[in-house]
Amino acid sequence: MKEYVLTFYTKENCPLCEKAKAVIEELSEEFPLKMIEKDIYKDDQLLELYQLMIPVLELNGEQIGYGLIRKDEVRSELTRLISH
C-alpha cells in the first residue's frame, strides 16, 4: 500500500497544533500517512506564509486544512485526494 506524506506546519507552544496532531494520529489509523512536521519559526519563508494560519496540513502539495483542524473535514479531503 502506498504511503502518503502529510506535511504538518506547526510551531512550539501551540494548542491548536497539539489538537491537530492528535487528529492526524487518529487518521493515520485509517489512512497510510507519514507525517513530516515543519516548525515555521525555523524557516523565514514558512513563517511569512503560515504565521497567521498554523497549524497547516498539506498533502501532495495541496493544502487540506489550517487553523482549527476538524477530523471529518480532513478525512473528507484525504479520501478525495487519495482515491484519485
Side-chain angles (χ1 to χ4, degrees), residues 1 3-4 10 14-15 19 26-27 31 34 36 39 41 43-44 51-52 55 60 63 68 70 73-74 77-78 84:
M1 181 179 275
E3 187 174 66
Y4 294 88
T10 185
C14 171
K19 290 178 183 178
E26 289 175 22
L27 288 170
F31 298 92
K34 175 185 177 187
I36 296 176
D39 185 330
Y41 280 89
D43 182 318
D44 290 340
Q51 185 172 9
L52 300 174
N60 298 337
Q63 189 175 301
L68 183 58
R70 293 183 174 87
E73 292 173 4
V74 175
E77 284 296 302
L78 287 170
H84 285 87

Side-chain angles (χ1 to χ4, degrees), residues 6-57:
L6 181 73
T7 306
F8 178 51
Y9 297 99
T10 185
K11 70 174 186 174
E12 290 183 23
N13 302 315
C14 171
L16 278 179
C17 299
E18 292 303 316
K19 290 178 183 178
K21 190 173 182 178
V23 166
I24 295 166
E25 288 170 355
E26 289 175 22
L27 288 170
S28 290
E29 295 174 13
E30 298 174 41
F31 298 92
L33 298 175
K34 175 185 177 187
M35 180 175 60
I36 296 176
E37 287 187 56
K38 293 194 177 186
D39 185 330
I40 64 167
Y41 280 89
K42 294 182 179 174
D43 182 318
D44 290 340
Q45 239 181 340
L46 294 178
L47 181 60
E48 189 174 320
L49 281 172
Y50 298 126
Q51 185 172 9
L52 300 174
M53 296 172 63
I54 64 161
V56 176
L57 301 178

